[in-house]
Amino acid sequence: MPKKAEAPASFESALQQLEQIVSRLESGELPLEEALNEFERGVQLARTGQQTLQQAEQRVQILLNDDKDAELAPFTPENE
């Protein structure tokens, strides 16, 4: 049984790892067993990232619940 891979240090590093995995898989140059291992790791990273995003959304909702008049609005960076 393969050992469970460690979780990345941050959401951003997980996303970067996932992008690298996708690139390697899209290259079509990996042997089947290695491709399957990479795919499995990618699924784990995607699930972890989704969970992190859901937790962040819940935190935002909790903060907004304190102010019943607060409205959700799209984020627009000031330097754009």
Side-chain angles (χ1 to χ4, degrees):
M1 177 181 284
K3 66 178 184 175
K4 191 169 186 175
E6 292 182 27
S10 69
F11 175 79
E12 291 77 11
S13 66
L15 187 58
Q16 183 179 24
Q17 288 178 30
L18 188 54
E19 289 172 348
Q20 292 170 353
I21 288 170
V22 169
S23 293
R24 287 194 297 271
L25 289 173
E26 286 179 339
S27 76
E29 297 177 6
L30 294 176
L32 179 59
E33 190 62 34
E34 192 174 338
L36 287 171
N37 289 335
E38 288 289 297
F39 180 77
E40 182 178 9
R41 177 68 178 141
V43 169
Q44 291 172 346
L45 288 168
R47 287 180 180 161
T48 301
Q50 183 64 34
Q51 184 178 28
T52 301
L53 289 173
Q54 287 174 339
Q55 290 171 348
E57 183 178 5
Q58 288 173 345
R59 290 175 64 188
V60 168
Q61 289 297 329
I62 289 169
L63 291 170
L64 290 178
N65 284 339
D66 290 341
D67 182 2
K68 299 294 183 192
D69 296 327
E71 293 184 30
L72 291 176
F75 175 74
T76 307
E78 292 182 22
N79 57 349
E80 285 189 9

